[in-house]
Amino acid sequence: RTVATTVATATATATENKKGSNQQTTTSPKAVVAVNNKNQKDNWCDKIQKARADLHNPSLHITIPSCATMIPTVKSAIVCMLTDGAASDAKAQKNVFTATNYIHGAMALGASLMGNIDPTQTHQLLLLRDGFVLADNDLHQLQSVGWTIGTAPTFHLLPAYVPRFPRYKTTYTKVMAIGLSEYDCVMLMDADTLAVGDI
């Protein structure tokens, strides 16, 4: 009887354990992935927020509205800036970036980076000068070649140092890349450059 009782108890325990195990494995994989992704996304946005808070100069604050979609484990970024070339849209009360040569250049640069950087290690940021937006079609095309779109504040120069040539008046906005302090390394590339090998 003792042996029978022991066997019966062991069998019942094994059955309960199996049920428990089955119940645990019924958790939706998608739910687990969603939770993990949410935590990762929150961590990256939190990292940006902390990095901005640690900057002593608020004028360096670059914004990345889609930070929640970015891979959170990277330490470096390739950055391209569009600082000049807009037409006013009176109806929408906004400045739409319309310099197609710059946009096409950024698209070509983005396409050349694909395969030459590891997107799990390096972010690809396209920053517009504050006050500009992209037309929807241009936005989608730039995103399709890997760019994450953000905004860089305008770098204000004393009048004595503002370049006379109009195209260069806003070029110092590129200095704002130093505000990306959440990265260990940032590489600034102009829209008229291409990646021709592994970076």
Side-chain angles (χ1 to χ4, degrees):
R1 289 183 180 179
T2 301
V3 174
T5 301
T6 302
V7 172
T9 302
T11 302
T13 301
T15 301
E16 289 301 318
N17 289 341
K18 186 176 180 180
K19 288 181 179 178
S21 176
N22 288 339
Q23 289 175 350
Q24 291 176 354
T25 57
T26 56
T27 303
S28 169
K30 290 184 178 180
V32 174
V33 171
V35 170
N36 290 339
N37 285 345
K38 181 181 185 301
N39 290 337
Q40 290 179 338
K41 291 171 184 177
D42 289 346
N43 288 341
W44 182 250
C45 288
D46 289 346
K47 186 173 182 180
I48 291 180
Q49 185 176 6
K50 182 180 184 304
R52 298 296 178 272
D54 290 342
L55 287 174
H56 296 295
N57 188 346
S59 68
L60 292 174
H61 287 195
I62 289 172
T63 58
I64 313 291
S66 58
C67 66
T69 66
M70 299 168 73
I71 296 174
T73 54
V74 306
K75 295 185 177 181
S76 62
I78 300 289
V79 178
C80 179
M81 290 195 183
L82 301 181
T83 64
D84 181 68
S88 176
D89 184 343
K91 293 182 179 179
Q93 295 184 341
K94 62 187 178 184
N95 290 323
V96 180
F97 195 93
T98 56
T100 55
N101 54 334
Y102 290 114
I103 292 172
H104 292 166
M107 280 193 246
L109 173 58
S112 73
L113 288 169
M114 299 174 80
N116 283 318
I117 62 171
D118 181 352
T120 66
Q121 300 296 323
T122 302
H123 285 153
Q124 195 175 316
L125 303 179
L126 181 68
L127 304 179
L128 272 74
R129 183 163 61 89
D130 188 31
F132 288 169
V133 295
L134 287 166
D136 288 342
N137 185 54
D138 292 330
L139 175 64
H140 296 320
Q141 289 189 55
L142 287 163
Q143 289 173 330
S144 73
V145 291
W147 292 115
T148 297
I149 312 300
T151 300
T154 300
F155 186 86
H156 296 287
L157 287 170
L158 293 174
Y161 300 107
V162 175
R164 294 182 180 180
F165 190 60
R167 189 164 65 89
Y168 295 146
K169 289 182 182 294
T170 59
T171 194
Y172 284 95
T173 299
K174 297 174 184 179
V175 173
M176 294 303 186
I178 64 176
L180 293 166
S181 57
E182 63 271 26
Y183 298 104
D184 293 345
C185 176
V186 171
M187 182 176 181
L188 184 63
M189 299 184 71
D190 281 342
D192 60 354
T193 59
L194 295 173
V196 295
D198 187 22
I199 298 180

